Amino acid sequence: MSDVEREPEPEASPPDEVAEADALVAEAEAVIDADIGAIASERDEYKALAQRIQADFENYKKRVLKQQTEHLERAGEELVTKLLPVLDTADLALAHDENESLGQVVGALRDALAKEGLERIDPGGQPFDPTQHDAVMHEAAEGDDGPTVSEVLRAGYRWRGRVLRPAMVKVTG
Amino acid sequence: MPKAVGIDLGTTNSVVSVLEAGEPTVIPNAEGGRTTPSVVGFSKSGEVLVGEVAKRQAITNPDRTIRSVKRHMGTNWTIELDGKKYTPQEISARILQKLKRDAEAYLGDTVNQAVITVPAYFDDAQRTATKEAGQIAGLEVLRIINEPTSAALAYGLDKEGADQTILVFDLGGGTFDVSILDIGDGVFEVKATHGNTQLGGDDWDQRVIDWLVTEFKNTEGVDLSKDNMALQRLKEAAEKAKIELSAVQETTINLPFITATNEGPKHLDMKLTRAEFQRLTADLVEACRGPFEQAIKDAGLSKSDIDHVVLVGGSSRMPAIQELVSSLTGKEPHKGVNPDEVVAIGAAVQAGVLKGEVKDVLLLDVTPLSLGIETKGGIMTKLIERNTTIPTKRSEVFTTAEDMQPSVEIHVLQGEREMAMYNKTLGKFQLVDLPPAPRGIPQIEVTFDIDANGIVHVSAKDRATGKEQSITITGQSSVAREDIERMVRDAEAHAEDDRRRKEEAEVRNNADSLVYQTEKLLKDQGEKITGDEKDTVEARLKELKDALGGDDIEAIKRATEGLVTASQTFASRLYEQAAQAEGDASAGATPPNDDEVVDAEIVDEEKGA
């Protein structure tokens, strides 16, 4: 009996084994596909990362260059900023007393600084412009001329085109 | 690649920051400032002004200028201008738009996402309104986070481990908050928050102004508080004095021509000491105590439960405030990040995390110590300086030290000392079979290549033959931290000694080269030299060779100069002749390009260590 029973087994088992083997192959393929998929997405991720870093670096280089250029252009800004109170004091002193010798000294100082790129913002009577002027007093007025600088309380300065300190003004209108 | 930024949308000022290569950077605005006033002005001509510019025109246009709109967020407050109603979120959006625009100009890239911070006490409506403001400004709001949480993130306190209690002390220009945070598993929880919306740095300024006015009235009899112009100057000076007193014990307030009387102009010139300043503002400092105690109590904690203290807001720089915080908490506050910018920086870090920019792969290492090779005279020539970010690659061209030198030894070193012998040897190898050539002619390209794992590949290549040898050194970055510190300290301690030794080696190297060149000159061009000249040059040459035999560096220097002087007339005549003959000379051995050849020679193997 055992012999008889054994007979069909070899015949029945091959399809099983084939199916099993197929299943194993399919499983392995699925694993490999998944691996490939994972590797591909990882590759894409790293590629994107590399591109992003490269782009960041390019932009960084451009910006550093721009900043260096600006830095060179505005060299001396710090020193000039520290000199502004001196110029202010000179203005106040001259407004109080028309002293000729002091006027000479201040004039020479202003000329020297102007040659280096210091521009005075002294907008008396001009239309009020908040990019250049800082309004600390205001007087309402009738009229449609728009707000106008009626008094410059302290001159402002631009250094090589950039506002170092806006003019402190009184605005009417 | 569009960027995500972190924004501290403040009541008085706002700050925008971005994470670049893992490091937060505060972005300056178009006017150059690192903070932007949270002020929006609608000019009568229809222009919308934001920031500094809006602030400057505020007084001329008070009905159409909006300050501190943050105080209205989440309410049904509106402002009607030219027939159109604006909500708080629409006004806030104007501020965010400016920050976005300025950030884009700075980064040279689109900015379309942001993390925005809000006070810990903001309710849902206020948070929603803030998010809407971002959307109106064209920003996808990745997340709304609490200001104290953001400050803690800026200090990386989320990585300190589970169950930390953090106290954030925020004293700004016009508001004061104390928050207590609990952190577990990277999640922050606000346990308690308390504050005073009407206390800030401006109050300290006002005390100084009042003091100046009183003192001036007492000494000069003039009341400056009636003079708008004078008040304006006093305000500026008071703030400046306050800031200076955080660093120094005494400051001078000097305002010439502050006013004028019948007797003439009056000047203000006063000294303010830190002690006096602290006396003037003692009650303000004391006023910070209440909210602090209350917050601790509300959190159900005691002072000893606090693990970390973080200071936020420019006014937290004042020594009296720092002393108060230290005495109240018994802890030293975290320092290092600018308190005006710390909230925005934390938001930028959070934006980076949410965008997945902060990944392990991006956390690049640095070389802990310098790497280089030994060159003539026992000098260590560094190719890669310490703290260079890896991966990195660097090449330099070296040459031989002797005529007909058949091989060179590449002695790879690690360390900070100038002399090879005091540094650590990582490996050695030979590049052999160099074709016979006078010294200084062969070009040997040495390349150091460190990969992201810290593995160092060193190769040497003879440019004439293409022959190459290399070595791979692993584990160089595994030097223990204490060893690195010791080596760096050693180098600092011996800097002067090392500099002298290196200089001596260089003097010797120069002298040696000069001897070599002079001998070569005498041999090749001997017939062009007169008898007298020849005798002098030979005598000086002998002196230098003798000096080189000894240890007296000064003697070598003197003898070098002697030989240079002696051979000068002769040499310059030769050069003139050579210049005339140059037209004829065409082919022949091309000397190595000076730009490429480094003025250092590899030790030849016989002399090498």
Side-chain angles (χ1 to χ4, degrees):
Chain A
M1 285 294 279
S2 61
D3 279 346
V4 180
E5 275 188 0
R6 216 188 272 164
E7 275 284 45
E9 261 192 62
E11 279 184 44
S13 66
D16 273 1
E17 276 176 19
V18 169
E20 225 168 87
D22 281 352
L24 278 174
V25 168
E27 200 179 307
E29 277 176 349
V31 169
I32 290 167
D33 280 350
D35 276 357
I36 292 174
I39 291 166
S41 69
E42 201 173 327
R43 179 205 59 197
D44 292 344
E45 191 183 324
Y46 284 145
K47 191 179 166 195
L49 192 65
Q51 283 169 335
R52 187 163 70 199
I53 289 168
Q54 186 64 33
D56 277 356
F57 183 57
E58 293 298 324
N59 286 327
Y60 176 75
K61 279 200 291 193
K62 282 179 218 160
R63 190 168 75 237
V64 168
L65 187 71
K66 196 175 142 215
Q67 282 171 349
Q68 278 174 343
T69 320
E70 278 177 7
H71 207 76
L72 280 177
E73 279 172 1
R74 293 209 313 275
E77 185 178 303
E78 209 178 318
L79 176 66
V80 171
T81 307
K82 285 184 189 150
L83 285 176
L84 296 187
V86 179
L87 294 173
D88 296 338
T89 306
D91 283 345
L92 292 164
L94 287 172
H96 182 262
D97 173 18
E98 293 281 337
N99 180 324
E100 203 193 327
S101 358
L102 178 63
Q104 296 282 352
V105 175
V106 173
L109 176 62
R110 281 186 189 149
D111 285 351
L113 289 169
K115 271 185 196 135
E116 291 299 312
L118 188 70
E119 291 168 79
R120 195 176 158 88
I121 308 173
D122 197 354
Q126 293 171 22
F128 171 63
D129 172 5
T131 66
Q132 310 284 322
H133 318 147
D134 182 12
V136 296
M137 282 186 240
H138 181 242
E139 220 172 44
E142 293 304 309
D144 45 16
D145 289 350
T148 308
V149 176
S150 50
E151 193 183 342
V152 179
L153 304 171
R154 189 176 68 189
Y157 290 93
R158 268 188 301 271
W159 177 243
R160 302 187 177 168
R162 199 167 113 141
V163 177
L164 210 52
R165 191 185 72 190
M168 195 196 280
V169 299
K170 180 178 177 181
V171 175
T172 306
Chain B
M1 186 82 191
K3 294 273 182 187
V5 295
I7 296 174
D8 170 9
L9 185 60
T11 307
T12 23
N13 286 301
S14 295
V15 183
V16 56
S17 171
V18 69
L19 208 60
E20 283 186 301
E23 288 292 318
T25 312
V26 169
I27 301 176
N29 62 26
E31 294 78 37
R34 292 166 73 86
T35 60
T36 299
S38 304
V39 183
V40 180
F42 292 80
S43 80
K44 280 161 192 138
S45 54
E47 243 184 311
V48 183
L49 306 166
V50 183
E52 203 60 58
V53 176
K55 204 173 159 185
R56 286 180 201 152
Q57 57 84 59
I59 195 170
T60 72
N61 196 19
D63 304 337
R64 301 165 68 87
T65 302
I66 303 110
R67 295 170 177 268
S68 307
V69 69
K70 189 173 177 179
R71 297 191 198 266
H72 302 299
M73 290 299 267
T75 67
N76 49 17
W77 174 93
T78 53
I79 183 166
E80 194 174 324
L81 295 164
D82 307 320
K84 189 183 179 314
K85 271 191 177 164
Y86 291 91
T87 61
Q89 39 271 57
E90 283 172 302
I91 300 297
S92 291
R94 299 293 185 162
I95 300 165
L96 292 171
Q97 261 165 3
K98 174 173 168 63
L99 298 175
K100 176 179 188 282
R101 204 166 50 232
D102 289 354
E104 286 176 341
Y106 176 86
L107 294 166
D109 215 334
T110 324
V111 171
N112 57 8
Q113 293 175 314
V115 167
I116 304 177
T117 62
V118 295
Y121 55 77
F122 257 31
D123 62 20
D124 271 354
Q126 291 168 304
R127 284 165 201 264
T128 307
T130 305
K131 200 167 180 174
E132 279 168 18
Q135 285 157 355
I136 297 166
L139 290 165
E140 180 196 336
V141 181
L142 295 171
R143 193 167 288 179
I144 297 282
I145 62 171
N146 290 321
E147 287 158 9
T149 301
S150 194
L153 281 170
Y155 280 107
L157 298 184
D158 52 324
K159 298 183 191 76
E160 290 277 321
D163 295 335
Q164 303 278 318
T165 301
I166 303 163
L167 183 133
V168 180
F169 188 98
D170 181 349
L171 184 59
T175 59
F176 168 57
D177 290 299
V178 176
S179 308
I180 301 194
L181 310 175
D182 223 12
I183 177 167
D185 295 330
V187 179
F188 283 89
E189 190 197 340
V190 179
K191 301 287 279 186
T193 179
H194 237 274
N196 180 344
T197 53
Q198 308 297 333
L199 178 67
D202 298 345
D203 297 311
W204 271 259
D205 295 352
Q206 192 56 48
R207 290 298 165 85
V208 178
I209 297 172
D210 294 346
W211 177 77
L212 288 168
V213 167
T214 313
E215 290 287 303
F216 196 78
K217 200 171 178 181
N218 290 344
T219 53
E220 303 286 344
V222 181
D223 185 2
L224 295 176
S225 66
K226 302 276 184 290
D227 181 344
N228 251 324
M229 169 65 193
L231 265 183
Q232 203 60 41
R233 291 175 70 193
L234 286 175
K235 209 173 144 197
E236 276 182 9
E239 194 188 350
K240 189 164 161 263
K242 176 187 76 176
I243 291 169
E244 282 176 358
L245 286 175
S246 285
V248 297
Q249 292 291 338
E250 184 179 286
T251 185
T252 307
I253 299 160
N254 186 1
L255 297 169
F257 301 97
I258 188 76
T259 191
T261 63
N262 297 334
E263 301 155 32
K266 298 260 180 215
H267 313 294
L268 183 149
D269 191 3
M270 291 185 202
K271 274 196 174 62
L272 180 60
T273 62
R274 187 188 284 177
E276 177 68 13
F277 173 65
Q278 291 182 348
R279 197 186 58 76
L280 292 171
T281 57
D283 61 316
L284 296 173
V285 174
E286 207 49 38
C288 295
R289 197 184 282 268
F292 176 92
E293 307 273 7
Q294 194 59 46
I296 299 255
K297 197 173 152 220
D298 288 358
L301 297 171
S302 71
K303 287 164 192 174
S304 58
D305 295 326
I306 299 164
D307 298 304
H308 300 279
V309 179
V310 175
L311 296 178
V312 179
S315 309
S316 70
R317 288 196 184 87
M318 287 188 282
I321 292 297
Q322 300 200 347
E323 280 159 27
L324 175 81
V325 174
S326 297
S327 76
L328 285 175
T329 61
K331 284 245 161 9
E332 271 306 299
H334 282 267
K335 286 206 173 94
V337 182
N338 182 337
D340 291 314
E341 299 170 350
V342 64
V343 170
I345 283 172
V349 169
Q350 183 67 28
V353 170
L354 293 172
K355 285 275 281 179
E357 277 176 28
V358 189
K359 274 190 191 159
D360 285 347
V361 66
L362 276 177
L363 298 175
L364 297 174
D365 217 341
V366 295
T367 54
L369 292 162
S370 300
L371 296 168
I373 61 169
E374 180 175 349
T375 54
K376 194 177 174 188
I379 294 171
M380 168 168 173
T381 298
K382 289 174 187 170
L383 270 89
I384 295 179
E385 293 284 336
R386 69 183 296 254
N387 281 337
T388 300
T389 304
I390 56 175
T392 187
K393 189 173 172 177
R394 182 89 211 279
S395 293
E396 271 190 29
V397 177
F398 295 87
T399 188
T400 49
E402 301 290 331
D403 287 340
M404 310 305 151
Q405 190 175 319
S407 65
V408 290
E409 184 183 73
I410 308 293
H411 180 187
V412 183
L413 296 161
Q414 179 183 46
E416 304 310 312
R417 303 285 297 268
E418 301 272 14
M419 304 307 290
M421 60 189 289
Y422 298 121
N423 289 313
K424 190 178 163 197
T425 297
L426 290 181
K428 286 180 187 180
F429 65 96
Q430 308 272 342
L431 182 63
V432 297
D433 295 337
L434 299 177
R439 67 190 237 177
I441 297 299
Q443 294 188 49
I444 294 145
E445 186 176 342
V446 176
T447 304
F448 274 61
D449 189 347
I450 311 182
D451 69 16
N453 301 314
I455 297 167
V456 186
H457 309 267
V458 183
S459 63
K461 184 179 172 185
D462 175 24
R463 283 187 171 178
T465 60
K467 250 184 218 308
E468 195 172 342
Q469 265 308 325
S470 66
I471 189 174
T472 297
I473 302 147
T474 52
Q476 60 96 17
S477 59
S478 64
V479 184
R481 177 179 284 270
E482 307 85 73
D483 285 343
I484 293 169
E485 282 167 7
R486 182 183 49 76
M487 287 167 94
V488 172
R489 265 200 320 273
D490 269 8
E492 280 162 10
H494 292 95
E496 186 49 35
D497 257 12
D498 282 6
R499 194 194 53 74
R500 208 189 60 242
R501 274 173 206 270
K502 188 180 173 188
E503 194 188 303
E504 286 178 11
E506 282 167 352
V507 166
R508 266 179 190 283
N509 287 350
N510 283 339
D512 184 60
S513 291
L514 187 65
V515 167
Y516 174 80
Q517 283 159 14
T518 313
E519 281 178 338
K520 193 164 182 292
L521 204 65
L522 286 173
K523 200 172 120 227
D524 298 349
Q525 316 273 346
E527 73 280 2
K528 289 177 187 154
I529 188 168
T530 63
D532 274 3
E533 270 179 350
K534 196 171 180 177
D535 289 347
T536 329
V537 169
E538 273 175 347
R540 295 281 175 271
L541 184 62
K542 186 172 178 303
E543 278 170 25
L544 181 54
K545 281 164 98 172
D546 288 348
L548 271 171
D551 289 328
D552 187 346
I553 289 299
E554 286 308 311
I556 299 176
K557 272 193 196 166
R558 275 197 307 277
T560 303
E561 275 169 35
L563 180 55
V564 168
T565 321
S567 55
Q568 227 158 30
T569 36
F570 169 50
S572 59
R573 197 169 67 243
L574 280 181
Y575 280 126
E576 276 165 29
Q577 288 167 3
Q580 281 164 10
E582 201 169 276
D584 313 331
S586 53
T590 317
N593 187 338
D594 279 345
D595 291 343
E596 287 178 346
V597 178
V598 173
D599 186 22
E601 298 160 351
I602 297 171
V603 275
D604 78 310
E605 54 179 316
E606 285 81 19
K607 277 190 182 170

